[in-house]
Each structure stands twice: as structure tokens, then as C-alpha cells.
Amino acid sequence: MNAQSSPSQCDAVVVGAGFAGLYQTHLLTKAGYTVRAIEKAPDVGGTWYWNRYPGARCDIESLTYSYSFDEELQRTWKWPQKYAEQPDILRYIQHVADRFDLRKHFTFGTTVESAHFDEKANRWRIRTSGGEELSSQFLVMASGCLSVPLEPRFKGLEKYKGPTYRTSRWPHEGVDFTGKRVAMIGTGSSSIQATPLVAKQAAHLHVFQRTPQFAIPAWNRHYTDEEIKQAHESYDEIRRLARQSEVGISYEAPSIGAKEADKESLRKQLEFAWQRGGYLMLAAYPDLVTDIESNSIVSEWVKEKIRARIKDPDTARRLMPQYPMGAKRLCVDTDYFETFNRDNVTLVDLRDSGIQEFTEKGIRLENGTEYEFDAVVFALGFDAMTGALNAVDIRGRGGLLLRDKWKDGAKNYLGVSTAGFPNLFIITGPGSPSVLYNMVASIEQNCEFTAQTIDYVRKNGYATIEAKPREEKAWSQYVDWISKQTIYTKVKSWYTGGNVGGKHVAFMPYAGGGLTYFEYTRQVVDNGYRGFKLAA
Ligand code: FAD
Ligand code: NAP
């Protein structure tokens, strides 16, 4: 079946062809439902289709940051590196699409522009950029937490004559910066991965930093054949251990908090966590996101490690983060701080003087300093978690627009459902662990919950399922309350929406841990979809 010629009436419309959209489509079609899946990009991959900048790779080990649903798939796929590069992750996703024959359900190069719930028919009416009108009982938004990049909105940008690039929309043919004077704007995870590689090529690189970030070395390396063989043989154990953790990654940590540890055991444990590297530095002790004192002990220790990587004391001072480690998503780097030891790299600290405007040749700061560049790279981040949902004209009962409902916060039940929007499912939405968990595992859980729920609705002869307003209120208050027990609310970040002008600021993911969330959703199902209203 070719999606282009497939019926406009179907059981479910799935939006997105990333890890989530593909798995959701696989689950629903395997269960016998007709699915029309729509993707803006010309092919599968989602995040890994769009983000092709130099150095792009995962920050959770590939053996874990991969699908677990198919034994044969995980036992046959060979990850070349501990943290796979974007081309390898994209190759993996393409392989999954081929292996399970998923492309035939997709219409690519097409955007879902609107989705209106027809209360008389109990169906979603969906309009695409291709002019097609689809009608489905269920709508699954697998549209991504980090899929709507922030536009560069600098005064005078239209005057700038040189080429500009966005990390999130990198040219497929790559960019050669050899001999070029380059500006990198932003110092989040994307920039931290791209900066060392751009610096190696460019004649000179200026990095414009507004907020210094914590980054932990990845210690990335190629896997040996023996390691891959062993991993394939012990995959059940790898997944079992990952599922036992609140973040979906297996790791060892002491049971006491950092502030309770004596000096010597603290040093040993932090050294161990540092050598292990990556995102798990935040799991060196179990209380780092909940206890500011423990966090501060570890943050200071990590800052010392960072300081030791930078030769110039003034540059080191400027690169030092000033917030609790992990409050902004912890970055994972390869040679980021060492890059500032290069003669052809200059840090521009925007806390001294911000960007006034772009000129024909480059950038002028508020203090009048001017820079000339042959190329500019924007690594400005995303309208996270709600961006892709609010970009679509989604209307529920009474014509209520989702983005209006959410203007004072993304109220939802379990992150997957929102009251007044029947038969709408959101994968890794605000209110679910999503970005605080290994995302692929988070996606698998949400997709399985959605498929199971759709099956329940259909097999029991219901027409609709939707969150009850009372449960939604309770869940949203609980998500908010939990976030206030953590360090996450101590700083402006994309987790809170604080990186987007005018967006309601509130911590969006569920910070109570994956295990707790999964158990809670299990109980909801076991109790006949407690908190949901089912109607015939
Ligand atoms: P996406 O991969 O974002 O896919 C959503 C798709 O929906 C996109 O292709 C988009 O084009 C499409 N879409 C959106 N709206 C519409 C519409 N209206 N109509 C049609 N199509 C639409 N997470 C981790 O856990 N570990 C990592 O190491 C990691 N690394 C990352 C690196 C980068 C550079 C970025 C940006 C994110 C990273 N993430 C990581 C988060 C990452 O987004 C998730 O891990 C995962 O890939 C998300 O999959 P998804 O299918 O939910 O969404
Ligand atoms: P980000 O973390 O939001 O970083 C954006 C950067 O741009 C920040 O330094 C921000 O400064 C800066 N910025 C934004 N607007 C600016 C302006 N007008 N002027 C100057 N600076 C500006 O975005 P990201 O780096 O794309 O990463 C987003 C998330 O995607 C990550 O946190 C992670 O979850 C995921 N990701 C993962 C990896 C990985 O390692 N696997 C790689 C890339 C992305 P402020 O901090 O001051 O706002």
C-alpha cells in the first residue's frame, strides 16, 4: 500500500516519523488498525533526520538509546561506537523502517496543519499541507519534544551578507569552513558537540556565550567486536537493569546522598562517575536533583575538573557554570573545553555586552565592538515539549484550541492525554518523564500505552476516551509540586519554557522518575482507565 493512494478514512493518524511515530505505527498496524502517518521531512528519522551538524551524536549510550521491543533487532544491530554519531543513528532508524516495512504507511514531505475533533461523528478531521482531508478515530501526536527550532531573531540579520546555518537544519551535503572566520551563537548541547569540530576546520571561531554550561566528557570510543558480541548475548540483562532505574539507564550509585559521604569516599565516587563519563554524572549520588547542598558539593567538584581543562584563567572563569549542575540539561562533550585552548578560538562573553545587531559583515555588540565573519552558525535550541503541538491548529470539544487551553501551562493527564481532546494521544508529552528519561525507552512505554488503550476502547465498543478534568488537574498539580522539590526550577531553561519569549514558564516533564510513572500508568490501566472518561 502506498500512503499517497491510501484511504482518507482510517483508524488512526500518527504525526511524526522519529523513534516515536515509527514505533506507534508499527504497533497499531501490527494490531490490525489502519494508520495514516504523516511526516514533514522527506524521510524517517525525526531528530536524527534534521540535526546533522558536525559532532551530532547521542548522549546516552547507544546500546541503551535504541529500541528494545524486538529481540532479533537488538541482537543483530551493531553499534560502532559507545555514543553513535548522527549518521549511524539515522541508518539505524532507516533500517527499522525497512525491517518492519513502515514507510508504506507514511506520507512524507507533508505537514499536519490542523486537527479538529468532530463531536457528532466522534472523529478527528485532519488537514495536511498537501491539501488532503483525513478522518480518523484516533490522533497520535508523535511530533517530538525537540523538533521546533527557535528562529534567530536578531536585529539587522537580513543585512548580513554571509551564509548562516542552524545546527537543527544542517545542509545534507555538509559545510566546509576551511579558511573561514566563523561565529557560533549559543552554548547548549548542540553547540558543545559542534564547536570542537568547527574549530578544527575554521580559520577562526568566535563562540558567543550567554550562559556557560556544565559538560561532562563522553570518553567516546569504538566498541570492539568482542564487546558487541557480549552485549548481544546479555541484552536482556542490559534492558532489565535499565528498566530498574528511574532514568532508564543502568548505573551503579551509592545509596547515601553526596552531603552524607565522607571526604575520601566522595572523592572516589566522583572520580568513578567522572571516568564513567556522560549524563550519568548526575546520578553519581541519588540526591543530586533534589538536594541543593549535595548538588552544590558535586557541582563545585565538577567545576574544578572543568577548570583544569582550560589554560587561560580568565577564559576558564567565563566558562564556569553558575547554576546547579543538571538544572539545565547536562551536556556531554568531546574536547569542548580544550577547544578554548586553541589559538584560533575566542570566547565572547555576552554577559559583558549583548548582541546589538547584525551588520553586513558580522556582529556588533552593545558596547560597540564589531566582528567580521564569513559564516554564522546558530545553535539556539528549541521551543521544547509543547512547540510542535502548539504549531498545529488542534481543536477539541467546543472548538477549544489546544494552544489556548495551554497558554497558562500544559495541563494534561499522565502527559499522554488532555481533557476536552478525546482520542488524542501525545507521545512523551509534558507531564511524562520523557526528556528526563532515556527517550527511546520513554517513547516505547508511551506508544505501548497508547496502542493498548486504543485496543481497549475498540474492543469494548467505546467511541471515545479522554482525561477527566479533575484527574488532569490533580496530575498537573502533582507534576508541578514534584518539580518544585528539585533543582530544575532554579534556572531558566527549555525544560521550563523560559528559553522562549512569552511562553508560560513552568517545569514541563514529570520529575518523579520513570519507575514511579510506569507503575502509576500500569495501575491506571489495571483499574479500568482510572481518571479517563470512556463513552460509547
Ligand atoms: P522527533 O525525533 O523529534 O520526531 C518528530 C517528527 O515529527 C519530526 O520528524 C517532525 O518533522 C515531525 N513533525 C512535527 N510536527 C509535525 C507536523 N505538524 N506534521 C508533520 N510532521 C511533524 N534524547 C535522548 O534520550 N538521548 C540523546 O542522546 C538525545 N540526543 C539528542 C540530540 C539532539 C541533537 C536533539 C535535538 C535531541 C536529542 N534527544 C536525545 C531527544 C530526541 O529528540 C529524542 O531522543 C527522540 O529522537 C525523539 O523522537 P520522537 O520521535 O519523539 O521525536
Ligand atoms: P539549548 O540547550 O537550548 O541551547 C541553546 C543555546 O543558545 C543556549 O546556550 C542559549 O543561551 C543560546 N541562545 C538562545 N538564544 C540566544 C540568543 N538570542 N542570543 C544568544 N544566545 C542564545 O539547545 P540545544 O543545544 O540545541 O540543545 C537542546 C536539547 O537537545 C539538549 O538539552 C538535549 O536534550 C538535546 N540535545 C542533545 C544532544 C546530545 O548530546 N545528544 C545534542 C544536542 C541536543 P541561554 O542558555 O542563555 O538561553
Side-chain angles (χ1 to χ4, degrees), residues 121-313:
N122 281 328
R123 291 182 75 80
W124 283 96
R125 309 279 182 213
I126 291 141
R127 203 165 44 77
T128 74
S129 57
E132 225 188 331
E133 303 257 349
L134 304 174
S135 160
S136 66
Q137 186 178 0
F138 302 98
L139 170 64
V140 185
M141 293 302 289
S143 46
C145 292
L146 293 158
S147 57
V148 177
L150 294 185
E151 295 293 328
R153 296 194 198 286
F154 294 93
K155 189 177 158 204
L157 184 55
E158 69 290 349
K159 284 189 227 150
Y160 177 63
K161 292 269 195 286
T164 61
Y165 304 97
R166 289 189 289 168
T167 46
S168 51
R169 294 291 181 269
W170 204 255
H172 289 203
E173 63 282 11
V175 182
D176 185 2
F177 290 114
T178 308
K180 302 267 194 297
R181 299 161 302 169
V182 182
M184 170 76 72
I185 322 277
T187 53
S189 298
S190 301
S191 165
I192 281 177
Q193 289 186 326
T195 289
L197 294 172
V198 175
K200 276 187 191 157
Q201 233 183 25
H204 201 99
L205 175 67
H206 281 79
V207 179
F208 288 75
Q209 170 189 268
R210 198 164 65 177
T211 309
Q213 295 266 30
F214 279 98
I216 309 296
W219 311 119
N220 191 33
R221 61 183 177 78
H222 281 81
Y223 283 128
T224 63
D225 288 346
E226 187 49 34
E227 279 175 310
I228 288 293
K229 187 166 165 275
Q230 270 181 17
H232 284 167
E233 282 164 9
S234 55
Y235 237 130
D236 287 349
E237 187 61 2
I238 294 174
R239 299 296 189 190
R240 193 183 63 76
L241 291 173
R243 282 192 197 108
Q244 277 175 6
S245 109
E246 290 287 5
V247 289
I249 314 168
S250 70
Y251 63 89
E252 293 164 45
S255 51
I256 56 161
K259 67 183 179 193
E260 282 122 37
D262 63 64
K263 226 173 161 180
E264 186 49 19
S265 72
L266 180 81
R267 192 193 60 76
K268 273 196 185 148
Q269 171 59 13
L270 293 182
E271 213 37 81
F272 162 76
W274 182 262
Q275 290 310 327
R276 181 172 59 190
Y279 186 65
L280 283 178
M281 192 73 213
L282 198 53
Y285 283 94
D287 60 347
L288 298 188
V289 293
T290 50
D291 191 298
I292 195 71
E293 200 184 326
S294 283
N295 183 290
S296 167
I297 292 167
V298 176
S299 293
E300 289 309 315
W301 188 91
V302 169
K303 283 199 234 176
E304 279 309 311
K305 285 285 195 188
I306 294 176
R307 210 168 272 124
R309 298 171 65 183
I310 308 152
K311 284 188 187 145
D312 175 52

Side-chain angles (χ1 to χ4, degrees), residues 195-197 199 205 334-342 344-345:
T195 289
L197 294 172
L205 175 67
T334 299
D335 297 336
Y336 176 67
F337 293 108
E338 289 79 0
T339 297
F340 293 90
N341 297 333
R342 295 174 66 101
N344 72 332
V345 176

Side-chain angles (χ1 to χ4, degrees), residues 48 51 53 57-60 146 150 154 167 185-191 193 208-211 213 328-329 331-332 350 355 379-382 435 492 494 499:
W48 303 102
N51 293 265
Y53 58 85
R57 61 176 74 244
C58 53
D59 61 3
I60 290 175
L146 293 158
L150 294 185
F154 294 93
T167 46
I185 322 277
T187 53
S189 298
S190 301
S191 165
Q193 289 186 326
F208 288 75
Q209 170 189 268
R210 198 164 65 177
T211 309
Q213 295 266 30
K328 277 174 179 271
R329 168 80 181 200
C331 304
V332 178
L350 295 174
I355 295 174
L380 303 177
F382 300 84
V435 291
K492 208 175 81 169
W494 62 258
N499 66 328

